[in-house]
Amino acid sequence: YFDGFDGLFNIPLYDLIGACDLGVFPSLYEPWGYTPMESLAVGIPAITSDLAGFGLAVPPRDTPPGGAFLLKRDEVADADATAALHSLLSDYLKKTPREQLLHRMAAYTTIQKFSWDELYKNYETAYAHPAPAQR
């Protein structure tokens, strides 16, 4: 939709994402969640939830930390999740420009762990060990 001629922003999607300070995706459910990945890919830190596949995959790969922020939503009351999101947003807005730049650099570093060069190894391993026969 955001192709540069949408009548709303009139700039391409990745230019629009790149103009943001932070991507915020507090999903209740996402099988994977490409939107936080798109933010990280253009160097924009993102908030994602532990109810998104991507949110569950990020923490072990978020090195240096700070490229992605995980909002806990699984078995958390809505009011508590809202308060936690407010805290994440408030904390981020209080950061200095230098600290925000470091988070942008961490976002770009984190997303590199999700390149096909990295992920393809997992597919090779999975297919090298066939699943047990069904009875």
Side-chain angles (χ1 to χ4, degrees), residues 17-90:
I17 295 170
C20 295
D21 293 316
L22 183 66
V24 182
F25 311 99
S27 300
L28 284 172
Y29 172 75
E30 296 249 5
W32 181 246
Y34 286 101
T35 49
M37 286 184 74
E38 290 173 325
S39 284
L40 297 178
V42 294
I44 301 300
I47 296 172
T48 185
S49 84
D50 63 352
L51 294 177
F54 181 70
L56 294 174
V58 168
R61 292 181 167 93
D62 190 21
T63 52
F69 302 94
L70 187 64
L71 177 65
K72 296 193 184 295
R73 304 240 20 213
D74 190 24
E75 298 184 17
V76 174
D78 288 344
D80 294 335
T82 301
L85 178 58
H86 180 270
S87 180
L88 283 170
L89 291 168
S90 294

Side-chain angles (χ1 to χ4, degrees), residues 2-20:
F2 297 115
D3 60 1
F5 305 99
D6 52 76
L8 185 60
F9 294 108
N10 294 322
I11 58 174
L13 175 63
Y14 293 109
D15 292 341
L16 179 62
I17 295 170
C20 295

